[in-house]
Amino acid sequence: MTKISSNMMRCNPRLIHSVIVCAVVFGSDGAFAQSGGPADTPAVTVRGQTYTPRSILARNMGSDEDQTTAFPPHKIIGNVYYVGTRTLSSFLITTPAGHILINSTYERNVRTIAKSVEQLGFKFSDVRILLGTHAHGDHQEGDALVKELTGAQVLAMREDVPALEAIKPSGKAHPIDHVLRDGEEVSLGGTTLVAHLTPGHTRGCTTWTMKAADGGKTFNVVFACSYRAPGTVTPDVEAEFTRTFKMLRTLPCDVPLGDHPAQYNMAAKHARLTSGGANPFVDPGNCWGEAEIQEAMFRAQLDLQRKQAR
């Protein structure tokens, strides 16, 4: 592993893995409609809840207001904090040597994120490293503005570099100060994150892991990338997701997080923070619940494509 130190800054229902999968075909639009966003097929039922491509996207993104309205900033565990919006996650990892930010989200959200950081008692200008989960505008469009406001070093997985370079809000070039490889470590002020290449949603989709100390215990925190398959699953994407879903279960996990809050039931867990009980974000039993949903959908999409190709 390469280490970046703080000095560098620089339906026929059937059972698949306990999941009911229903590939229902309406028309010949495939998994995604030609217009109007994702289709309502195929459908998968996981742990008693039914999902379609359309419902998953709606759950993740919410309304325009949800995407731009700050969710109350809060401590998750140890030195990990939430500073994103209602439906777009941004995480702050604080250290004595400065801070790490994961996901700038849209450029229009950057100052909202900065305000959330300040509300927690930290300085946005102390962000030293900016990381991302994947090269889509709703997660990394704001990278250039974060760098402009903080001087942070922007690190990106090698496979996502071309897609990131194409994200140019207001014509700004997308900054990339260091290109990461699978398994690389990023360290700052005693905190180390590991970049795990989990491709499929994008070529360089990155799931980050770290250890957080809280209450005399150490917890494995996972910042999951999106594992949602595109409308058409090509052979390359199939191979990527097959590798990704197999690898994910090998990661130690106590605290599952995601680049959309709904992926880890943030709102419900946040509501329980004031109850005085155990930290609701410590949830090892549901670490791979989102991956289970997305793997079921991925396999249902493949089945649907093959049936339509006959």
Side-chain angles (χ1 to χ4, degrees):
M1 291 186 184
T2 303
K3 185 178 231 182
I4 297 176
S5 71
S6 54
N7 293 329
M8 294 174 66
M9 299 297 189
R10 304 225 215 247
C11 239
N12 320 29
R14 65 197 185 286
L15 208 58
I16 297 181
H17 303 305
S18 303
V19 178
I20 298 173
V21 179
C22 304
V24 187
V25 182
F26 295 105
S28 57
D29 57 359
F32 286 81
Q34 294 298 317
S35 61
D40 249 355
T41 59
V44 299
T45 300
V46 180
R47 302 186 187 188
Q49 173 107 19
T50 299
Y51 303 88
T52 67
R54 184 179 298 168
S55 74
I56 289 173
L57 187 61
R59 177 206 66 171
N60 285 355
M61 298 300 294
S63 65
D64 288 345
E65 182 181 8
D66 290 329
Q67 294 167 38
T68 57
T69 301
F71 190 85
H74 56 274
K75 177 179 175 177
I76 296 170
I77 196 164
N79 60 334
V80 181
Y81 297 83
Y82 187 85
V83 291
T85 69
R86 292 174 184 166
T87 58
L88 300 178
S89 298
S90 184
F91 300 100
L92 182 74
I93 297 100
T94 63
T95 88
H99 310 317
I100 300 168
L101 188 71
I102 300 180
N103 285 345
S104 62
T105 75
Y106 285 124
E107 186 179 63
R108 60 185 178 271
N109 287 341
V110 169
R111 295 184 190 280
T112 299
I113 291 169
K115 183 177 179 181
S116 291
V117 171
E118 303 284 341
Q119 286 176 346
L120 289 167
F122 304 106
K123 293 181 179 179
F124 191 63
S125 59
D126 286 340
V127 172
R128 299 286 180 263
I129 295 174
L130 175 61
L131 308 175
T133 53
H134 66 278
H136 284 164
D138 55 330
H139 301 286
Q140 294 195 246
E141 184 190 79
D143 287 7
L145 183 54
V146 171
K147 185 173 180 65
E148 178 185 325
L149 295 175
T150 68
Q153 296 292 291
V154 181
L155 283 56
M157 188 65 78
R158 176 182 57 173
E159 289 81 355
D160 255 0
V161 167
L164 284 172
E165 289 177 337
I167 299 175
K168 298 180 178 181
S170 305
K172 295 186 183 79
H174 200 105
I176 298 175
D177 298 298
H178 179 83
V179 176
L180 297 161
R181 294 176 181 269
D182 184 26
E184 196 160 346
E185 293 183 351
V186 177
S187 295
L188 181 70
T191 292
T192 296
L193 290 100
V194 182
H196 302 273
L197 179 63
T198 50
H201 190 62
T202 66
R203 303 307 303 272
C205 209
T206 307
T207 294
W208 292 94
T209 60
M210 63 170 279
K211 293 184 182 297
D214 195 289
K217 298 180 180 179
T218 300
F219 298 88
N220 293 296
V221 182
V222 175
F223 304 88
C225 188
S226 286
Y227 308 128
R228 182 171 61 85
T232 299
V233 180
T234 65
D236 284 346
V237 170
E238 180 180 1
E240 287 174 346
F241 269 125
T242 298
R243 172 193 177 278
T244 289
F245 288 125
K246 181 178 180 181
M247 185 278 288
L248 284 176
R249 273 71 171 195
T250 70
L251 298 177
C253 173
D254 300 303
V255 181
L257 305 173
D259 52 20
H260 292 282
Q263 294 167 348
Y264 65 101
N265 298 316
M266 179 192 69
K269 290 177 178 177
H270 178 263
R272 290 162 48 202
L273 277 178
T274 57
S275 66
N279 186 338
F281 291 106
V282 178
D283 191 16
N286 287 307
C287 272
W288 307 119
E290 179 66 15
E292 185 179 349
I293 294 166
Q294 301 298 354
E295 184 174 14
M297 181 61 72
F298 156 69
R299 300 197 181 284
Q301 286 179 236
L302 273 177
D303 286 352
L304 183 57
Q305 284 180 205
R306 288 165 180 158
K307 288 177 182 177
Q308 293 176 330
R310 290 174 188 167

